[in-house]
Amino acid sequence: MKKAIILNKMFEGSWNDKEGNISHEIIDFALTDNGDYYVYNVPYGCCPKWVHIKGDTLKDCETHEVEYLYLTSESRRGIFDLKYRIKLKHKLHSFSYHKTGKKKDIVSGEMEQLYEKRSITYGGKKISEILDTDTPLITFEADYMETAVEPISINFSEYNYQRNKGYLKEDEYRNDYVYFKEAVKKAKWIRTGLNPIVVNVENTNQYNKKTFLDLIIKAESEECYTNMLFSVLNQPGIFEAFCKTFASDRNIDYSHHFHVAREHRVVSGRMDICADNTVQRVIIENKLYSGLNGIKKDDTTQLSRYYEWGLKADIEPVCFLLVPDFRAFLSHSNRKSEIEFEIENNDSEMSGKYIVVSYGNVGNFIDKHKHLFNENYEYFRYLDDIIAAFRNYAYPSKSEYVQALFRQRIQELD
């Protein structure tokens, strides 16, 4: 039988930052209350009839065998990264997408029976209570998920993978298929820890605390975190303390006062936060989910252009890159982190130029320096919320963070 590969782009960022929205593939990161593992196929939870899962019972209409489903980053200039792969076990249905009408109602009814028959619950809630039921909420039963030890960059020569789904067939795109198989064969994979969702337990850690950002549905807004940090850094003594904490080994001239600015325009972009004291410049770029922007044909990005702006002062600039902990560190190895790989692949000259600072460490920094704030700070009453908001991204791995989102969603139903 011919082979094929399923690619799913993960939804994140602005999609989840809207009321009622939560990525359906969030179930890919948790086991049911019974310890079973189900997977959602992007988009709409549907699956072509021609897909046959390796080891499953063969049906007449199935022409291509699939072993793994891969979760990927978005495609930028035709290049994307493989984040996870899921070993598939059974195809649960071959429903097509129906937006309205009788066929949609039939699919919804049959899926509801399937949820009941298999007792598909998470944290005591049936899956159809957690997620909207406009589409099937599960597509496959799976064995396990694995994480790539290092991000695997893929650049197809023929197959155009731009949207949120992809089916790479070996008989249609032979060269790309062989290239892909070789790339994943050479890579190292480790098993991702998946567990049932446990809710209604005391929150004893510093993560996953409600803040005012949850109230205004902006907990995943990159701009909000930039604005909060800008506000904090403008308080007396905080900017200097920030630089001394995270750039202690860099040469910084504190004899001149730094003026901190936000959204400063330079050629081909705007810096999130920058500072200038006439002899030296500091750059702080914030990346919650977004990748490096302004990628040029000369293999440079916005980071290079901001760094060039910094070089116009007398002393070499100091540059920071602010990211969630799961982008800043690799809990399973001592190799480069996700953001470090992205810099290396898209703007290698900037490798080592930017100091990576995690959201969790920013939260800890603000907490440690609370004594420098007084009630004249106009957002003083929100300071604890600001600290908690940054710490809410202090999970060491993406899978742990997604599991926390899932748990929070279930708790909101009670």
Side-chain angles (χ1 to χ4, degrees):
M1 178 179 281
K2 299 180 180 66
K3 312 291 186 189
I5 294 161
I6 300 178
L7 304 171
N8 280 193
K9 182 182 81 68
M10 298 177 66
F11 279 101
E12 52 192 7
S14 60
W15 166 258
N16 290 316
D17 199 27
K18 295 179 182 178
E19 186 171 12
N21 276 3
I22 188 168
S23 302
H24 283 181
E25 72 271 20
I26 199 168
I27 71 161
D28 296 354
F29 291 86
L31 303 181
T32 68
D33 294 337
N34 291 332
D36 299 320
Y37 184 31
Y38 295 100
V39 175
Y40 176 88
N41 188 38
V42 176
Y44 309 127
C46 300
C47 181
K49 294 183 183 299
W50 54 262
V51 170
H52 169 72
I53 303 305
K54 184 177 181 180
D56 210 348
T57 303
L58 180 64
K59 297 184 174 103
D60 291 339
C61 56
E62 297 176 343
T63 59
H64 289 72
E65 182 181 85
V66 175
E67 184 174 8
Y68 289 100
L69 181 151
Y70 292 84
L71 299 180
T72 80
S73 67
E74 65 177 331
S75 178
R76 301 166 66 89
R77 294 195 304 170
I79 303 173
F80 61 93
D81 291 337
L82 302 180
K83 304 287 189 178
Y84 305 92
R85 70 176 181 182
I86 300 169
K87 178 69 167 60
L88 302 178
K89 185 176 180 181
H90 299 299
K91 182 171 70 173
L92 300 174
H93 61 81
S94 292
F95 291 134
S96 300
Y97 175 60
H98 302 286
K99 189 173 183 179
T100 58
K102 186 176 180 179
K103 289 185 177 180
K104 176 182 178 296
D105 293 338
I106 292 173
V107 170
S108 296
E110 292 194 26
M111 290 305 303
E112 193 65 37
Q113 291 179 26
L114 182 61
Y115 308 146
E116 290 280 356
K117 180 181 178 181
R118 289 179 170 257
S119 299
I120 301 177
T121 62
Y122 298 86
K125 299 289 185 181
K126 190 165 57 175
I127 188 172
S128 53
E129 296 179 85
I130 303 169
L131 303 169
D132 72 73
T133 56
D134 287 341
T135 64
L137 302 178
I138 54 174
T139 315
F140 306 106
E141 184 178 4
D143 281 323
Y144 55 82
M145 172 189 277
E146 291 179 314
T147 306
V149 172
E150 297 179 355
I152 306 167
S153 293
I154 299 294
N155 186 7
F156 290 135
S157 60
E158 298 177 287
Y159 183 65
N160 186 21
Y161 174 56
Q162 288 188 327
R163 298 186 65 81
N164 53 0
K165 68 173 180 178
Y167 298 101
L168 180 64
K169 297 179 179 180
E170 68 169 337
D171 53 326
E172 290 187 7
Y173 299 95
R174 179 64 183 174
N175 291 337
D176 283 339
Y177 180 86
V178 172
Y179 155 73
F180 185 94
K181 294 292 286 185
E182 285 297 317
V184 298
K185 183 178 179 180
K186 293 177 183 177
K188 293 182 179 179
W189 300 84
I190 60 172
R191 194 69 62 92
T192 305
L194 302 176
N195 297 288
I197 300 297
V198 179
V199 296
N200 298 325
V201 295
E202 183 180 357
N203 183 15
T204 57
N205 62 32
Q206 61 184 347
Y207 311 129
N208 201 23
K209 295 181 179 179
K210 290 286 188 179
T211 71
F212 62 85
L213 292 183
D214 296 288
L215 177 64
I216 62 174
I217 319 171
K218 289 292 183 182
E220 301 199 24
S221 168
E222 189 171 275
E223 183 180 19
C224 284
Y225 291 91
T226 298
N227 292 341
M228 288 190 298
L229 182 60
F230 170 72
S231 171
V232 166
L233 293 178
N234 266 294
Q235 300 312 297
I238 297 296
F239 178 78
E240 182 174 333
F242 182 91
C243 292
K244 287 181 176 179
T245 298
F246 298 112
S248 59
D249 60 340
R250 301 294 176 95
N251 177 31
I252 302 178
D253 186 336
Y254 297 110
S255 64
H256 296 71
H257 174 71
F258 277 99
H259 172 71
V260 183
R262 177 172 54 91
E263 293 290 328
H264 182 75
R265 179 178 287 278
V266 296
V267 177
S268 302
R270 291 176 181 268
M271 288 178 289
D272 290 331
I273 300 174
C274 63
D276 192 340
N277 68 356
T278 71
V279 297
Q280 190 175 25
R281 290 172 170 178
V282 175
I283 298 150
I284 303 175
E285 187 63 15
N286 179 27
K287 295 293 181 185
L288 177 51
Y289 287 116
S290 62
L292 303 183
N293 298 321
I295 300 175
K296 301 285 188 179
K297 292 182 179 179
D298 62 354
D299 291 327
T300 63
T301 69
Q302 59 187 149
L303 299 187
S304 282
R305 285 176 285 287
Y306 299 164
Y307 184 76
E308 289 167 5
W309 172 83
L311 287 174
K312 293 178 181 178
D314 298 336
I315 304 174
E316 184 177 4
V318 176
C319 306
F320 299 97
L321 192 56
L322 181 65
V323 296
D325 292 45
F326 51 77
R327 298 187 73 184
F329 310 116
L330 281 182
S331 59
H332 50 266
S333 82
N334 58 2
R335 305 183 188 187
K336 292 183 178 66
S337 66
E338 175 185 305
I339 194 64
E340 289 171 329
F341 266 98
E342 190 169 347
I343 296 172
E344 187 175 85
N345 290 337
N346 295 294
D347 199 349
S348 59
E349 290 296 317
M350 291 298 102
S351 293
K353 299 291 187 185
Y354 280 76
I355 300 168
V356 176
V357 180
S358 75
Y359 272 43
N361 282 337
V362 170
N364 293 339
F365 164 79
I366 299 172
D367 193 16
K368 182 179 179 180
H369 293 83
K370 284 176 69 174
H371 64 281
L372 295 179
F373 295 84
N374 59 50
E375 293 187 4
N376 292 326
Y377 172 46
E378 58 184 331
Y379 303 113
F380 183 79
R381 60 179 172 172
Y382 300 120
L383 196 56
D384 286 338
D385 265 18
I386 292 172
I387 293 168
F390 278 106
R391 283 176 168 170
N392 281 346
Y393 282 92
Y395 291 92
S397 70
K398 184 65 175 291
S399 60
E400 290 175 82
Y401 169 67
V402 175
Q403 289 166 14
L405 286 181
F406 201 176
R407 185 180 304 109
Q408 178 179 316
R409 173 69 170 221
I410 295 170
Q411 290 172 327
E412 290 170 351
L413 298 174
D414 294 326

